Amino acid sequence: MKPLGNFMKQYHYILLLLFIGGSVLSSILLLSHLQQEEISFQVFKNKLLEPGHVDRIVVTNKEVATVYIRSCSPGNNQTCDDTVQGPTSGSRNMSHHQYYFNIGSVESFEQKLKEAQEASGIDPHNYVPVVYVKELDCFPEMMKFGATVLLLAVIYYMDLGGVRGIFSIGKAHFTKMDKNAKNKVFFKDVAGCDEAKQEIMDFVHFLKNPKKYEELGAKIPKGALLVGPPGTGKTLLAKATAGESGVPFLSISGSDFLEMFVGIGPARVRSLFREARRCAPSIIFIDELDAIGGERGKGRYSGGNDERERTLNQLLVEMDGFATTSGVVVLAGTNRLDILDKALLRAGRFDRQITIEKPDIKGREQIFTIYLNKLKIDQEAAFYSQRLAALTPGFTGADIANVCNEAALVAARTESTKIKMQHFEAAVDRVIGGLEKKNKVISKLERRTVAYHESGHAVAGWFLEHAEPLLKVTIIPRGTTALGFAQYVHNENLLMTKEQLFDMTCMTLGGRAAEQVLIGKISTGAQDDLEKVTKMTYAQVAVYGFSDKVGLLSFPQREDTFETSKPYSSKTAALIDDEVREWVAKAYERTLQLIEEHREHVAHIAELLLQKEVLHQEDLVQVLGERPFKSSEPTNYCRFKQGFKEENGETKDIPPTVVKDESARKNRGARGM
Ligand SMILES: Nc1ncnc2c1ncn2[C@@H]1O[C@H](COP(=O)(O)OP(=O)(O)OP(=O)(O)O)[C@@H](O)[C@H]1O
Ligand SMILES: [Zn+2]
């Protein structure tokens, strides 16, 4: 089969050459088809110069004037490309004919032309344009033409499926890591996702010994989807699978398939699979599969995207096409399983799904250990990995790698020879909230509002049994929107009870409640909190079946906000809305009560915050006493959003010690909760 394969390759080149040759030849023929005929100025004036008939005159090298006739001469009783009386011949299609004459001097020519046009009754606004060119100037035109022909040829050629060589536009822009590559990755380099590793082991066994599987007639899954949030190590795990199996790793991002040229996407898919088969056993990894794998037919509403669909179809074809025994395993990463075309998930394609979650505290510790071992630190790696894991709830592997690098940068800036705890703390803060903006201008009033708001969260969390108590709170503005944030101890239970969710809702409302009770005025700073609360409560009522009124029904929540049709009647919709409103109101009532009870505490913490800007758990213990409940592990950042405006636009200062505030009570009463 080999010689034939080679012949096919050559055949593609020959085809391309023939194509280009043909194009060039035909364009030459086309050009030469434009016959030129010498005429005198007199003939030009008498026979050609009628209104709307001459398109333009091009004077080359101030000598020769070429007359271009319009193919359509409106207003002259001639139809397009019709027979027009030529100056010397009879019936002839003028559009393919050019006439030229010598002009003598430019001045006399222009004078003569002007007079002739006047005499022919041509309106001065419609005088024939005259263009002066040098001989060489027509080359760019020809080159443009040539380049266009060439490009068309290349595109056509690639659409035919011959993607080898030529400019490699159609070649998949994949990165290939050979089995002997130096920067290989192994399972030991991927921490905190043991279950995923376990699941992917099947592929490793198979890739190491495809023959054995073949002999036994075993069917190996062709591909697996690695599903999880960005930065959780999907790419890393796929790479490690290749490393462990000792096979080449070909990776490409879903978006890399798509280019502005039509036909490139499918060509790139073909090229990628061809290469994978050539060096099989091998692993293909497609990151961001959702870029091409979205449901087909959906794009049409938003302008359509046939190129993407053709690319996806090609991928499906390739996955169907290669027998399991060809030894190519396709892995793909996505965090949008919900939008993928169902055809991708069918048996024989990505028939396995491996979920990679954000790492828990143990996972984070393991990932920190990996990266700390590469750094010069002033303590044992274990010392830091434990502490840092506790400080970084919700961080992905990528975030952790980022923290470690950031810490090294901070240490280098302070000219420290080793990286210390304060460097890591600064790095964590930076990753959490973007760069510190200490000198950002905030009014005194705003700062106070932020402090009371954050204090409200902290105190509420402290005294609610099922809420996540505070770990750290700050009113140093960060990033572009956060004016302050609180970091909570987070329980990582997989199941949540109704009581837990109720307490969490109250804690989230704690910021707004503190504003209302202690400041007496509410601000826009609670927007983020309210969004969270709304989402959480809708889920309880419409998804988890917590509401007696709605009953044990579950309507999956769609992220798609454009979804107009809901899977329930408008009556149910109204019922759900009412329930949600009532539940949130109930939670707010409870929160207000709690904040009232602890208003001295809230004020105390807020004032302390204004003083120190950052408070840790220890500071809270000092003010509030030991928390009456057992607590677990940290996460969750409440961001006090920027955009705060006092209700009536005044910027009154708030007295530092808060006394009873009647207006807050009145407000509450008015809302009838
Ligand atoms: N579990 C982990 N163990 C060690 N390092 C990790 C882990 N997860 C992520 N990283 C680090 O984060 C980097 C980015 O991770 P990776 O690209 O694999 O994430 P991903 O899930 O593929 O993200 P995306 O969906 O954005 O492509 C890795 O190169 C690695 O340095
Ligand atoms: Zn808040």
Side-chain angles (χ1 to χ4, degrees):
M1 288 306 282
K2 268 269 143 67
L4 184 64
N6 284 340
F7 173 75
M8 287 297 281
K9 270 187 223 166
Q10 279 164 15
Y11 166 75
H12 276 304
Y13 279 117
I14 292 167
L15 196 79
L16 178 70
L17 285 174
L18 279 177
F19 193 97
I20 295 174
S23 316
V24 171
L25 206 69
S26 55
S27 36
I28 291 171
L29 281 174
L30 188 78
L31 284 170
S32 65
H33 184 67
L34 298 170
Q35 299 167 34
Q36 294 225 334
E37 187 178 326
E38 184 165 15
I39 52 173
S40 68
F41 186 81
Q42 226 40 22
V43 172
F44 163 71
K45 184 183 155 191
N46 295 337
K47 302 269 170 125
L48 294 177
L49 196 60
E50 329 166 17
H53 187 47
V54 175
D55 184 64
R56 65 192 188 282
I57 296 171
V58 177
V59 179
T60 311
N61 295 342
K62 296 186 182 169
E63 272 172 26
V64 182
T66 309
V67 183
Y68 289 83
I69 305 295
R70 278 205 186 145
S71 52
C72 289
S73 304
N76 204 23
N77 294 340
Q78 294 153 4
T79 44
C80 289
D81 277 356
D82 214 343
T83 46
V84 173
Q85 210 56 22
T88 52
S89 57
S91 231
R92 177 178 277 164
N93 189 338
M94 302 288 286
S95 61
H96 295 300
H97 218 93
Q98 283 175 2
Y99 304 95
Y100 67 94
F101 54 86
N102 280 311
I103 60 165
S105 82
V106 173
E107 291 85 319
S108 71
F109 163 66
E110 282 183 344
Q111 186 60 30
K112 272 198 293 185
L113 184 63
K114 189 166 163 264
E115 284 165 11
Q117 298 195 90
E118 268 171 23
S120 312
I122 297 175
D123 188 283
H125 292 295
N126 297 329
Y127 276 179
V128 176
V130 181
V131 187
Y132 293 89
V133 296
K134 283 195 185 140
E135 188 80 86
L136 280 175
D137 284 357
C138 55
F139 266 86
E141 290 291 324
M142 288 182 70
M143 274 161 68
K144 261 187 236 160
F145 182 69
T148 310
V149 169
L150 193 68
L151 193 67
L152 282 174
V154 168
I155 290 172
Y156 177 68
Y157 172 71
M158 278 173 329
D159 222 19
L160 285 178
V163 284
R164 294 206 146 260
I166 305 302
F167 302 150
S168 68
I169 299 181
K171 204 167 173 171
H173 286 211
F174 52 77
T175 0
K176 187 175 165 196
M177 204 161 74
D178 276 316
K179 55 183 172 194
N180 302 320
K182 285 223 174 70
N183 52 348
K184 263 173 40 167
V185 176
F186 297 95
F187 279 164
K188 68 168 173 49
D189 302 312
V190 192
C193 47
D194 294 337
E195 281 164 39
K197 277 193 229 171
Q198 202 59 45
E199 286 198 54
I200 219 157
M201 264 325 255
D202 271 355
F203 291 101
V204 176
H205 285 307
F206 163 69
L207 288 165
K208 271 185 160 166
N209 213 337
K211 279 252 156 56
K212 201 163 111 192
Y213 281 76
E214 216 174 294
E215 281 162 17
L216 287 169
K219 257 203 182 138
I220 264 288
K222 281 184 189 171
L225 266 185
L226 306 179
V227 186
T232 43
K234 298 183 290 291
T235 312
L236 198 68
L237 184 64
K239 229 183 237 179
T241 310
E244 293 288 335
S245 321
V247 301
F249 179 74
L250 291 80
S251 75
I252 186 167
S253 174
S255 51
D256 285 344
F257 285 116
L258 304 176
E259 285 269 352
M260 55 193 217
F261 298 119
V262 176
I264 303 295
R268 284 190 173 163
V269 173
R270 280 191 292 271
S271 140
L272 174 68
F273 279 83
R274 193 182 305 122
E275 179 61 16
R277 272 191 294 266
R278 198 187 59 75
C279 58
S282 61
I283 291 183
I284 288 179
F285 179 69
I286 305 172
D287 202 0
E288 289 176 59
L289 180 65
D290 31 292
I292 54 162
E295 217 167 306
R296 284 166 293 174
K298 273 267 168 107
R300 293 225 177 87
Y301 304 110
S302 54
N305 197 341
D306 290 347
E307 173 71 354
R308 183 189 70 75
E309 294 191 1
R310 269 197 294 273
T311 308
L312 173 56
N313 282 331
Q314 188 61 40
L315 177 66
L316 296 173
V317 167
E318 292 287 348
M319 290 193 76
D320 288 340
F322 68 85
T324 324
T325 45
S326 74
V328 178
V329 163
V330 188
L331 303 177
T334 182
N335 53 354
R336 293 300 309 273
L337 188 60
D338 54 325
I339 64 159
L340 288 188
D341 197 297
K342 299 292 166 286
L344 277 168
L345 310 178
R346 249 173 245 142
R349 290 166 187 160
F350 294 107
D351 37 18
R352 284 209 182 180
Q353 285 158 28
I354 299 175
T355 312
I356 306 188
E357 295 289 355
K358 287 186 179 175
D360 62 3
I361 189 159
K362 268 191 79 185
R364 293 199 299 275
E365 196 180 323
Q366 289 163 9
I367 301 174
F368 263 116
T369 307
I370 290 182
Y371 289 99
L372 288 170
N373 279 325
K374 297 176 184 166
L375 300 176
K376 207 169 156 197
I377 44 181
D378 69 338
Q379 302 264 357
E380 292 288 301
F383 171 86
Y384 278 125
S385 56
Q386 260 184 19
R387 275 168 186 71
L388 290 171
L391 265 183
T392 50
F395 276 40
T396 62
D399 295 330
I400 291 173
N402 202 355
V403 164
C404 291
N405 187 49
E406 197 59 51
L409 292 178
V410 175
R413 213 174 302 132
T414 53
E415 315 227 330
S416 179
T417 50
K418 284 189 173 156
I419 308 169
K420 300 182 183 141
M421 192 61 194
Q422 72 249 37
H423 303 139
F424 283 113
E425 277 184 344
V428 171
D429 285 355
R430 189 166 288 193
V431 173
I432 287 176
L435 290 171
E436 288 197 6
K437 290 203 174 142
K438 279 202 175 181
N439 42 9
K440 192 180 173 107
V441 190
I442 312 181
S443 75
K444 244 175 148 183
L445 175 67
E446 281 173 333
R447 230 170 86 88
R448 172 146 275 122
T449 307
V450 176
Y452 276 83
H453 177 105
E454 297 303 338
S455 168
H457 282 306
V459 173
W462 200 260
F463 293 108
L464 286 163
E465 176 168 7
H466 305 291
E468 303 158 329
L470 180 130
L471 191 80
K472 176 180 165 180
V473 58
T474 147
I475 54 166
I476 301 170
R478 270 148 222 279
T480 50
T481 58
L483 290 180
F485 74 90
Q487 192 182 357
Y488 299 94
V489 172
H490 177 53
N491 82 50
E492 290 189 352
N493 296 345
L494 292 175
L495 289 176
M496 300 275 260
T497 63
K498 198 173 164 182
E499 289 71 33
Q500 279 173 326
L501 285 167
F502 182 73
D503 281 4
M504 276 173 64
T505 308
C506 292
M507 185 196 69
T508 313
L509 291 169
R512 162 58 71 87
E515 287 181 47
Q516 187 175 328
V517 173
L518 284 103
I519 298 178
K521 279 186 179 127
I522 54 175
S523 77
T524 54
Q527 182 212 330
D528 229 29
D529 298 334
L530 299 184
E531 249 177 61
K532 246 187 250 164
V533 164
T534 309
K535 229 174 162 177
M536 211 154 46
T537 315
Y538 264 103
Q540 292 176 72
V541 171
V543 182
Y544 299 123
F546 281 2
S547 153
D548 291 338
K549 285 190 192 148
V550 175
L552 296 179
L553 303 178
S554 178
F555 307 105
Q557 275 187 319
R558 306 262 322 221
E559 297 224 329
D560 204 342
T561 44
F562 299 109
E563 191 83 64
T564 45
S565 69
K566 296 210 165 81
Y568 40 77
S569 69
S570 55
K571 211 171 133 202
T572 308
L575 187 63
I576 292 175
D577 291 344
D578 286 348
E579 266 295 81
V580 169
R581 205 164 280 127
E582 197 177 304
W583 282 38
V584 175
K586 218 172 95 195
Y588 193 57
E589 182 72 7
R590 165 89 182 94
T591 316
L592 284 170
Q593 206 184 336
L594 190 78
I595 297 292
E596 294 264 17
E597 262 170 48
H598 292 280
R599 59 189 302 149
E600 267 77 53
H601 282 141
V602 178
H604 197 151
I605 297 282
E607 293 306 323
L608 214 57
L609 252 179
L610 286 169
Q611 247 175 49
K612 294 170 77 172
E613 290 202 329
V614 185
L615 295 181
H616 292 94
Q617 208 166 17
E618 305 86 82
D619 304 307
L620 264 86
V621 176
Q622 285 211 339
V623 177
L624 307 174
E626 279 296 336
R627 189 164 183 263
F629 322 103
K630 204 170 81 181
S631 35
S632 48
E633 212 230 317
T635 210
N636 213 318
Y637 315 109
C638 149
R639 275 161 198 247
F640 189 101
K641 278 238 177 138
Q642 216 170 354
F644 163 79
K645 267 260 149 51
E646 222 191 331
E647 274 171 332
N648 52 9
E650 285 174 44
T651 45
K652 264 192 304 178
D653 215 336
I654 296 168
T657 41
V658 180
V659 276
K660 284 216 166 142
D661 193 325
E662 288 305 318
S663 69
R665 294 246 173 92
K666 261 186 252 149
N667 279 349
R668 184 152 55 92
R671 279 157 68 230
M673 287 189 294

